[in-house]
Amino acid sequence: MGRHHQAQLFDQVAARHCPGTRWSDGERLQRECGHNQVRLYQEKKLLCGGNLRAGAIALGEDAASHSLIECPQERRASSFQGLQFGIFEPGPERNVVAWSRFASCDTWGCNGGGWDESDETQP
């Protein structure tokens, strides 16, 4: 299921169960929806520059240690761009709660299968 389809389904469920709730303000982690609490996180590019200067400039004080938490060495050293994305709490703070892919992933899809891409056409 792609992002667009997921967003459409989410909008339908939200309209039915929690009309009037603003989902797009991007600042709050948790919102009430009927009898439930819903948490929405954001995927962002990690601050993994070749050195810690990019993180230091963006994060200010104690940036080096924060940057190493956000982008540990195995992610920083990887040539696979997919490892340089994380899941964050919404808002301007960079509170990483998870990574989009496991650290040993080295290709889009992480060799999980599901489809094969080929130049050959099927009859």
Side-chain angles (χ1 to χ4, degrees), residues 7-106:
Q8 286 179 323
L9 291 173
F10 181 82
D11 288 344
Q12 290 173 10
V13 170
R16 186 177 320 126
H17 295 285
C18 33
T21 301
R22 288 189 60 219
W23 298 99
S24 60
D25 66 11
E27 294 295 321
R28 292 185 303 153
L29 171 63
Q30 188 164 307
R31 292 169 178 80
E32 190 170 321
C33 179
H35 299 295
N36 299 299
Q37 295 291 320
V38 177
R39 287 186 172 203
L40 296 177
Y41 295 92
Q42 298 175 334
E43 184 178 49
K44 297 179 184 178
K45 186 138 174 62
L46 300 174
L47 295 177
C48 287
N51 57 41
L52 299 179
R53 276 188 74 111
I57 292 168
L59 298 170
E61 190 175 318
D62 202 24
S65 64
H66 187 87
S67 183
L68 286 172
I69 292 168
E70 179 175 314
C71 187
Q73 183 57 34
E74 64 269 12
R75 292 178 182 280
R76 188 178 305 277
S78 176
S79 62
F80 175 52
Q81 286 187 340
L83 286 187
Q84 297 185 359
F85 288 88
I87 308 299
F88 292 81
E89 291 180 2
E93 300 84 19
R94 296 191 59 87
N95 296 323
V96 66
V97 296
W99 291 283
S100 302
R101 291 165 187 85
F102 54 92
S104 61
C105 177
D106 61 359

